[in-house]
Amino acid sequence: MSSEFTPSSTPFKPLTAARDGSNFTYESLHNRVPHILTDVINDFYASIQKSTSPAAISEGKALTSQLSQLKHEMVTDKVLTPLDDDKVGDIDVWNHWLGLYFPTATWYTTPFLTWETYLYRRIASIFKRSEHWSRHDFFAMKKEATFKASMVAVAKLCSRVDALTRDSLADSENKTKMHLAFVEMLQASLWGNQTDLSMFPDLNSEALEEMQARISSGENNSKIVANDTDRIWKIVSQLQGGRIDIVLDNSGFELLQDVLLAHWLVSLGYAQKVVFHSKRIPWYVSDVTNEDFFWLVRAAQTP
């Protein structure tokens, strides 16, 4: 199937644009996402203050001006401008797509999926093109702080998975027990997605603990709209030491659940190798980068 589409048959519906002022898209563009960008600017300012390099400080101030300009364009409904090439490899595709289908579209008239992904890609481009801040993760402070606020849930989760793994190893021939254990592990991994920081930029520790408690209790499982767990189990149970790939979404608590799922799969012999796929750039606030993955491993090893 071709990835191209014509403007007359675009898959985006008009209601996904923010212009009508009455939908989630409008709320996102008017409040939620400007708040996220403001946090990026404030957190980056804190990072600049910690630098001892005059050149990095000077460049950091220039980058802050670019971020402020981006916020101004967004809240004043300017036309989406082409992205500057940061040598990541996808800018030509981005600019071709924007120029072909949205050449004069503004933030409030552009479809939701387009303007929000454009925002995160443009922020990344601002940093990638710099000399001193090209590897700076502008969401790292928020991701790390949220995980550190999750220690109560982390301890409970690890304790439960440890017990579940030991119990499974002791009775690995019991297929019914293995199936139930897999369901518990998979659904815990699924519901970790509730801690997506792009959707909850103001998530405080109390709300976070409440959300994670619902995940641990299985309270949300009745809300699953389409559930293919049994079909997935049928495939996994027949692998006998094969490879399983996990496409990562959110860092922190959800990433830990994905890692623990991989631990259970390898410990029980269903997988010999688990390959994790992360994002190439900081994306949608809490999405996992390679650095996030290794940060979690180091944090888990710290007493």
Side-chain angles (χ1 to χ4, degrees), residues 40-65 67 127 133 136 141:
V40 169
I41 294 171
N42 291 340
D43 288 349
F44 182 49
Y45 178 79
S47 297
I48 295 172
Q49 299 302 108
K50 297 175 184 177
S51 176
T52 58
S53 165
I57 293 172
S58 177
E59 185 180 52
K61 292 178 180 178
L63 298 184
T64 301
S65 295
L67 293 169
F127 284 95
W133 301 95
H136 178 72
M141 292 177 64

Side-chain angles (χ1 to χ4, degrees), residues 99-270:
L100 189 60
Y101 301 117
F102 307 105
T104 60
T106 67
W107 287 83
Y108 277 80
T109 60
T110 301
F112 179 31
L113 183 61
T114 301
W115 68 254
E116 189 161 13
T117 52
Y118 168 87
L119 169 73
Y120 297 121
R121 188 62 188 88
R122 184 164 162 191
I123 296 174
S125 177
I126 289 173
F127 284 95
K128 286 288 185 183
R129 291 181 291 110
S130 69
E131 179 181 354
H132 301 280
W133 301 95
S134 61
R135 296 179 60 83
H136 178 72
D137 183 344
F138 37 90
F139 292 133
M141 292 177 64
K142 185 175 289 291
K143 288 184 283 191
E144 293 172 11
T146 302
F147 183 74
K148 290 174 182 178
S150 305
M151 287 299 107
V152 172
V154 166
K156 289 180 179 179
L157 176 64
C158 290
S159 177
R160 174 56 187 156
V161 172
D162 182 56
L164 192 63
T165 303
R166 285 187 281 106
D167 187 42
S168 298
L169 287 169
D171 197 8
S172 59
E173 295 302 315
N174 188 327
K175 301 303 180 183
T176 299
K177 180 177 287 189
M178 293 303 99
H179 183 195
L180 292 175
F182 174 75
V183 170
E184 182 176 342
M185 292 295 303
L186 189 65
Q187 291 185 347
S189 183
L190 164 70
W191 287 112
N193 183 256
Q194 284 195 314
T195 53
D196 184 333
L197 295 178
S198 70
M199 298 302 297
F200 304 101
D202 281 325
L203 192 63
N204 57 40
S205 58
E206 182 178 344
L208 184 65
E209 287 185 15
E210 180 184 345
M211 188 178 290
Q212 291 167 341
R214 290 200 302 271
I215 295 170
S216 301
S217 69
E219 176 185 331
N220 291 322
N221 293 341
S222 63
K223 300 175 183 177
I224 299 175
V225 176
N227 193 341
D228 290 320
T229 300
D230 290 342
R231 293 174 63 188
I232 298 170
W233 170 246
K234 184 176 180 180
I235 296 171
V236 169
S237 63
Q238 296 173 356
L239 281 178
Q240 298 179 336
R243 165 176 161 167
I244 292 178
D245 290 65
I246 297 179
V247 179
L248 300 170
D249 189 5
N250 295 299
S251 60
F253 191 67
E254 182 180 353
L255 173 58
L256 176 64
Q257 291 171 312
D258 293 333
V259 171
L260 292 175
L261 172 61
H263 165 72
W264 186 87
L265 290 166
V266 173
S267 298
L268 272 294
Y270 293 115

Side-chain angles (χ1 to χ4, degrees), residues 25-54:
T25 306
Y26 176 83
E27 171 62 24
S28 294
L29 187 51
H30 193 66
N31 294 311
R32 178 177 64 85
V33 177
H35 185 144
I36 290 172
L37 186 49
T38 299
D39 285 347
V40 169
I41 294 171
N42 291 340
D43 288 349
F44 182 49
Y45 178 79
S47 297
I48 295 172
Q49 299 302 108
K50 297 175 184 177
S51 176
T52 58
S53 165

